[in-house]
Amino acid sequence: MRLIHLTAVGPDHPAASLNFAPRLTVIYGASETGKSYIIDALDFMFGGQSLRDIPQAKPYRTMLLGLELADGTAVTLARAVRGGKIYVYEEDLRTLPDRVPDRTLLAQHNKVNDENISHFLLSDLGIAGAQLRKNQRNVLQTMGLRNLAHLCLIDETRVQAKTSPVESGIPTARTAERSALKLLLEGVDDSGLTTGEDPVQFRRVNRGQVEVLDRVMLQLREQIGTAPERQSLLEQLARVNIAISAASASIEEGLAKRDSLTARREQVQAKSRSLRGALSDTQTLISRFSLLDQQYASDLERLNMVQEAGTFLGYFNSSVCMFCGADPQHHNSAHAVYETTALSKSVDAEVSKTQALKQDLAQTIGGLVNDRMRDETALEGLSAELTLVGTSIHNLESDLQPARDDMKLLLDQRSKLERLIGLWDRIGDLTTLTAAVAQETPTKTDPVADGVSSATQDDFSRTLNSVLTAWQVPGAKDATFTFEGSPDVMLGQRRRAGRGKGMRSVLHAGFTIALSEYCLEHELPHPGFVALDTPVLTYRDAEKDGVPDQDDELVSQSVADAFYEYISTRHTGQVIVLENQTPPSVTGEGCSIVYFSGTPGANRSGFYPE
């Protein structure tokens, strides 16, 4: 990752922009020109809570930070100077944004929402989601960008402070910050650690659990009241179960009789329905056959009338024959007698036939009437039987009801006994559980060393030694880095924290540069850039200025010269240095020097134009 530019933009106002060289950017000049503000602004763009308010920033609305990611892609982070979310534009943007951003990120790290600046930049470094040890009990936290910011953005206060260069100065973050350094130096997070329990918190929770269990048992005893002990209740339950079995057998016997009677009633009802259907059919046939019999009687009467009328037809003379319709010239004297006789015989035959049918029908109707009488008699018997069966069922139900009432009482009694026995069982279980909880102990924390392996410590110490030696720092040949106690740089058997502020500054700068160099050389995760505010405090002319106070422990100009020569030609990362004094000549490729005059109209007055 590389910084490209830092730009402040606002409507109707020229942008305030600072370009960063690929290797070294030195910004120097008078105080109150905005040099330290640059580190504040970088920290702000990487998720810092707020940006220092200065009068010169009033016309500006948005801060832009151009970045080159690991794959060479240029992006621009945009954030309102008053704070809030961070917007990502996938381009090198140096003017007030006039389009929708490609991504919107939260400024604060959020372990449940990946859309935040920490996850975005740590993903580019390949360590998004890494787990850091948070405390001595190995409680873990997800790594955030703030766990790295203090290792690459070093303001003047921190570079001179007596606190470890590994730590930001926040006591609660100390363990996580040491774990973050371990991750950078060895490339392994703490996700494999077993988390232990806080003994004090465990005892507090344990006592609370015992108290809750005791309270529950007290409530259960109140529900039991004056009931007998569990064994006595079990004996009562056994007797009740025997009584229930006996009552159940009696009830089952009565129910079996009732079921038999109910089945018989259904059979009788089925027979009754069948007989009623047969009676209905028989009555229908009788009615229809009676109508047919009436028809036969009517036919006989008509035949008698025809026979009587045919006898008299032969006595009448007419122009046309009454029987055959012949004309007079064709009449035969015997024709009338013959036709009359023939008609009489025909009528007699039809009468005989009809009488025979009527006689057969009378026999059929008689049979049907007999069937009806038989079925009516049978139906009366079934009705009587149905009444008898119904009465028997009713009486049996009446006899069963007292047994059912007794059974209900027995079941209620058994339920009460079982509930009381259950309460005693719960008290027994809770008593056992309470004893077990009272004997519990907190899970022990796996012992974990705060530092790195001895091999890594030796390798990093050699890198640190090489850097400080190249800077010509006095005593650098004995320089090492120790993780014992508070991690710190050791120089001449003395910790950095015990040196003057001038030596503390250059040793802090040496640690920061060595860490960047070590990670880049071993292909370990690191932002790839560092910003240092006044890393080398020097005395230029001892004869003119006098010998400095020993507590300041300022370094000679040769150290400053060697520092800049090393950074501008040999260091592979990106460095931004803020200085009050004029730096030595920097001629290396990929380097630039920016001067803030502090005077309006004279070169560049500061980060913001006057």
Side-chain angles (χ1 to χ4, degrees), residues 525-578:
H526 188 277
F529 63 85
V530 296
L532 300 167
D533 191 350
T534 320
V536 184
L537 296 176
T538 67
Y539 56 91
R540 292 187 174 182
D541 188 350
E543 294 181 357
K544 179 180 178 181
D545 299 330
V547 178
D549 189 328
Q550 186 65 31
D551 289 341
D552 287 340
E553 202 174 358
L554 304 181
V555 298
S556 66
Q557 185 62 36
S558 63
V559 174
D561 295 341
F563 168 81
Y564 282 104
E565 190 278 333
Y566 183 91
I567 298 299
S568 62
T569 60
R570 297 170 58 182
H571 182 60
T572 55
Q574 184 184 32
V575 182
I576 301 165
V577 177
L578 309 177

Side-chain angles (χ1 to χ4, degrees), residues 220-453:
L220 293 176
R221 290 186 180 277
E222 290 177 351
Q223 294 179 36
I224 291 176
T226 59
E229 294 294 325
R230 184 177 185 277
Q231 184 58 39
S232 176
L233 293 173
L234 288 173
E235 294 172 356
Q236 292 182 36
L237 180 61
R239 292 192 294 270
V240 169
N241 283 331
I242 293 173
I244 289 176
S245 297
S248 177
S250 175
I251 292 174
E252 287 177 358
E253 182 180 356
L255 291 176
K257 292 180 180 179
R258 187 195 64 180
D259 292 341
S260 177
L261 290 172
T262 301
R264 178 56 187 165
R265 181 173 61 183
E266 291 175 354
Q267 292 175 354
V268 172
Q269 288 174 340
K271 288 183 179 180
S272 297
R273 287 193 296 271
S274 176
L275 281 176
R276 288 192 183 93
L279 278 171
S280 176
D281 294 340
T282 301
Q283 185 60 44
T284 300
L285 289 174
I286 291 173
S287 298
R288 290 177 179 177
F289 288 168
S290 296
L291 291 174
L292 182 58
D293 183 68
Q294 293 175 7
Q295 183 64 41
Y296 285 161
S298 176
D299 290 345
L300 288 172
E301 290 178 358
R302 284 195 297 272
L303 288 172
N304 289 331
M305 291 176 61
V306 168
Q307 191 175 33
E308 291 177 359
T311 302
F312 292 104
L313 288 176
Y315 296 102
F316 296 97
N317 292 322
S318 63
S319 57
V320 178
C321 180
M322 299 295 293
F323 294 102
C324 66
D327 292 331
Q329 62 268 27
H330 298 295
H331 287 181
N332 188 318
S333 58
H335 177 70
V337 175
Y338 172 77
E339 290 294 342
T340 301
T341 303
L343 176 62
S344 177
K345 289 180 179 180
S346 296
V347 170
D348 289 340
E350 189 65 28
V351 167
S352 298
K353 179 182 177 181
T354 302
Q355 287 176 344
L357 290 174
K358 190 173 186 303
Q359 184 177 4
D360 291 341
L361 182 61
Q363 292 177 354
T364 300
I365 292 174
L368 289 173
V369 169
N370 292 334
D371 291 344
R372 183 180 63 183
M373 294 176 61
R374 183 195 65 216
D375 290 345
E376 287 176 346
T377 302
L379 187 61
E380 290 177 358
L382 290 175
S383 178
E385 183 179 359
L386 191 62
T387 301
L388 181 61
V389 171
T391 302
S392 298
I393 292 175
H394 175 74
N395 293 336
L396 187 58
E397 288 285 351
S398 298
D399 294 340
L400 283 175
Q401 190 58 44
R404 286 173 173 168
D405 293 340
D406 292 342
M407 175 65 79
K408 184 177 182 303
L409 293 174
L410 289 171
L411 291 175
D412 290 343
Q413 187 177 1
R414 182 173 69 177
S415 177
K416 180 179 178 181
L417 291 172
E418 288 176 342
R419 184 181 68 83
L420 291 172
I421 292 171
L423 291 176
W424 278 116
D425 289 341
R426 288 182 62 190
I427 290 175
D429 293 341
L430 289 174
T431 301
T432 303
L433 179 60
T434 302
V437 169
Q439 295 176 1
E440 288 179 350
T441 57
T443 303
K444 293 183 179 180
T445 304
D446 290 341
V448 177
D450 285 334
V452 297
S453 66

Side-chain angles (χ1 to χ4, degrees), residues 85-125:
K85 296 180 179 179
I86 299 175
Y87 304 98
V88 180
Y89 295 87
E90 296 177 354
E91 61 176 312
D92 186 353
L93 184 65
R94 303 184 188 228
T95 59
L96 194 65
D98 59 356
R99 67 176 181 86
V100 176
D102 296 300
R103 291 183 69 174
T104 300
L105 305 175
L106 299 174
Q108 291 185 342
H109 175 69
N110 191 316
K111 64 181 180 180
V112 298
N113 183 358
D114 291 343
E115 291 300 307
N116 60 77
I117 188 64
S118 282
H119 193 274
F120 176 73
L121 296 180
L122 293 181
S123 294
D124 190 60
L125 300 180

Side-chain angles (χ1 to χ4, degrees), residues 5-18 56 59-64 93-96 604 606-610:
H5 67 89
L6 180 68
T7 302
V9 293
D12 304 323
H13 209 78
S17 186
L18 178 65
Q56 294 86 343
Y60 297 93
R61 177 189 299 172
T62 304
M63 188 68 71
L64 306 175
L93 184 65
R94 303 184 188 228
T95 59
L96 194 65
R604 180 169 182 167
F607 176 74
Y608 290 109
E610 294 292 341

